[in-house]
Amino acid sequence: MTTTTIDRKKEIEAFGRRLSRRWKNYFSLEGLLPGIVPTNEQKQVVQSNEKQLVIRGSAGSGKSLMLVYRLIKLMEQEESRQKILYVTFNQTLTQDTRKRLNQSDKYRELSQTHDVEVITYHDLVRNILMYECGYPNINRLQMKQSSITEHESFIESKIMTILDQFKHSSEYEKYEKLFKTHSAKFLREEFFWMKANGINTWDQYSIKERKGRGHSPNVAKRQRPTIFHLFDLYQEFMKTNFKTPQLDMEDYALHLLNELQLNPNASFKYDHILVDEFQDLQPMQIKSLVKLAKKSITLVGDAKQRIYKRTPVSYKDLNLKVNSRTNQRLTKNFRSTKQIMNLASALQFTDVENVREDDQNFFREGPKPEIKHFTTMKRLASQMKKEINQLQTNHPGKSIAVIHRYNDNEVKQYGNLRHALERDFHVIGIEQYGKSFNYNKEKKPIFFTNPFEIKGLEFDFVFIVHFDRMHYPSSERINDLKKRYDTKKINYQNYDKDYDDILNDEKKVLYVANSRAKEELKIFYAAEKQIRISPFVNDFDTRDYVSNFSKSKYKNN
């Protein structure tokens, strides 16, 4: 009788704890991830019980960590089995997230009682369309810069074919002629922009303000019917000229939204959705995720890290209700030293709030970043080898990354910096980020990558190369802009606006590269003359970095 009474008492106490957790939204973050002690600020964000929550913060503020905590919280507090989706932008982030989750004993325990999927947006929608909605085979689209470039080139080649067929058709004379600057590349960007904004009818396109499309080439109102007709031809071409219909990268969201419109209670919906790096998703992609969530959605991001082209849109248009409770900001930095973030956050942007990190709390301090000039790439490579060797000797087991701006063709050419480094080190790509390495081998690993492949990742020591006028900003983007304008009839005001937009985008690329470093940041460039340094150096306070050249030409902010 006594034993029964004690057991009954324990059951009542356990029920009381469960009830208390449910009503008070209690969740302990302590010990969830090894070596990480959550702050009060993080605890407050995680404990939020909002059904829609947007978490913002600068690089290294723990946004992705908050997403992991909220995932585990959902798993613990839900008593019935839940379908939970964790969406990342690219495959590397997916691997990194899985690795982090599996470090948590609590997650491994709870994963037996829930269905958790960690996946990229495009892989997610591909699986839903093929295996839940009966679509034929859809080619997998990997979200890395080289794959995106290859995909865009494929689409442009098809649009060139459509353009050629259109110009030789009987209906050509019925439509207003386009300018020479309305190239296949322009049309591909226009079609992608239309789809990203959910535009698929003439009524929508005819009245839509072309925000996010730049000022050149100009599109006259009378040319819009021609462009939309080509859009219709493109859509039909992709459906009928292949063994199975082809999707471009902006089709995924539109098809998913259509399936959700046809079946609002679809079985493939998720109870809870968590989205990492949402600033790089297009509007319709975010909207489709909001509709895909049955109970809650949490999105984390940083506008200063928006390095993939995206169309501006309001939260209201995406069915997101954002207010003071549902829009949280993290102000503490866990990744980089104060010195590194002082430099990175000095970059001035035109479309986001420019805030130095002086008001943030930093958990580490370190040496000031270095900016060094070399007259030749050979001398740069020689110095980099010496410094990497020294780092690996003094800090065995620490991660080292070299961030370049080579294009796809240049990175494959013999004699570039990668080949020089391969003589002394085990040079690897970012796809191997989540692997373990033997740092006792004679050739120790270093990562060699570009800024687009490292979103959300971090390294102890970072070398940025190509900090010159040709690469920051990208000369390819500048030259492409010049081609868009007719030099005989150039509108200098519009040209300047588009040029400033490119500078703004390129500063975000540099910001992402800078903020990957945890302990030390070294910025190198090779040019015959020191003056060929990137103009972005003028954003930096000369007191925030050390150099091997005179800083007298540059200002103290």
Side-chain angles (χ1 to χ4, degrees), residues 205-360:
Y205 184 60
S206 63
I207 62 173
K208 181 70 174 180
E209 186 179 352
R210 297 174 67 253
K211 289 183 178 179
R213 288 295 292 123
H215 299 85
S216 179
N218 181 50
V219 173
K221 191 173 182 179
R222 64 182 184 276
Q223 292 173 319
R224 285 203 178 197
T226 309
I227 293 174
F228 193 81
H229 179 66
L230 288 167
F231 176 72
D232 278 342
L233 293 176
Y234 165 71
Q235 294 283 77
E236 185 65 21
F237 184 91
M238 297 295 279
K239 287 179 184 177
T240 60
N241 282 264
F242 301 90
K243 189 174 182 181
T244 58
Q246 295 290 298
L247 300 188
D248 64 44
M249 61 192 295
E250 302 303 340
D251 278 326
Y252 288 68
L254 297 178
H255 281 279
L256 178 56
L257 282 167
N258 183 59
E259 293 297 330
L260 289 168
Q261 179 71 23
L262 294 172
N263 187 5
N265 299 315
S267 60
F268 56 76
K269 294 181 76 170
Y270 291 81
D271 296 298
H272 303 281
I273 295 179
L274 305 102
V275 187
D276 201 1
E277 303 286 356
F278 87 94
Q279 76 276 353
D280 282 323
L281 292 179
Q282 291 284 13
M284 292 303 103
Q285 295 170 351
I286 297 174
K287 187 174 183 177
S288 67
L289 290 172
V290 174
K291 285 185 173 292
L292 194 61
K294 292 196 289 187
K295 294 184 179 181
S296 76
I297 183 168
T298 303
L299 307 101
V300 304
D302 175 15
K304 288 189 286 187
Q305 297 184 66
R306 186 185 300 145
I307 62 176
Y308 290 92
K309 209 165 189 180
R310 206 190 120 187
T311 302
V313 71
S314 69
Y315 285 123
K316 184 179 179 181
D317 292 338
L318 304 178
N319 299 327
L320 279 172
K321 300 174 183 178
V322 176
N323 53 44
S324 57
R325 296 192 320 275
T326 61
N327 193 7
Q328 301 282 339
R329 183 173 180 265
L330 298 172
T331 62
K332 295 176 174 59
N333 191 289
F334 299 88
R335 175 190 298 151
S336 307
T337 64
K338 180 177 181 179
Q339 289 72 18
I340 290 170
M341 289 308 296
N342 276 347
L343 189 80
S345 61
L347 290 165
Q348 297 294 298
F349 304 106
T350 58
D351 60 341
V352 295
E353 186 180 3
N354 293 293
V355 181
R356 273 181 63 93
E357 309 295 337
D358 296 332
D359 62 337
Q360 290 204 355

Side-chain angles (χ1 to χ4, degrees), residues 450-483:
N450 64 60
F452 294 90
E453 307 294 340
I454 57 174
K455 293 297 298 292
L457 306 182
E458 59 187 30
F459 308 87
D460 297 300
F461 303 101
V462 167
F463 291 82
I464 295 175
V465 294
H466 295 135
F467 189 60
D468 55 67
R469 291 180 178 273
M470 294 293 292
H471 297 92
Y472 287 100
S474 165
S475 60
E476 290 185 5
R477 294 193 64 185
I478 301 298
N479 291 335
D480 181 64
L481 177 67
K482 291 177 180 177
K483 291 177 183 177

Side-chain angles (χ1 to χ4, degrees), residues 426-449:
H426 177 39
V427 181
I428 54 179
I430 206 64
E431 66 278 359
Q432 296 177 275
Y433 179 82
K435 296 183 180 179
S436 298
F437 300 97
N438 182 1
Y439 286 92
N440 295 318
K441 285 187 176 182
E442 184 177 349
K443 282 192 173 185
K444 297 178 175 61
I446 61 170
F447 292 93
F448 192 84
T449 184

Side-chain angles (χ1 to χ4, degrees), residues 88-92 120-123 140-148 151 249-250 252 280-281 285 308 452-453:
T88 66
F89 184 74
N90 58 37
Q91 279 79 13
T92 304
T120 67
Y121 178 83
H122 286 85
D123 279 349
R140 190 183 181 207
L141 178 60
Q142 292 190 329
M143 294 310 293
K144 59 183 182 179
Q145 192 63 21
S146 58
S147 298
I148 293 173
H151 173 75
M249 61 192 295
E250 302 303 340
Y252 288 68
D280 282 323
L281 292 179
Q285 295 170 351
Y308 290 92
F452 294 90
E453 307 294 340

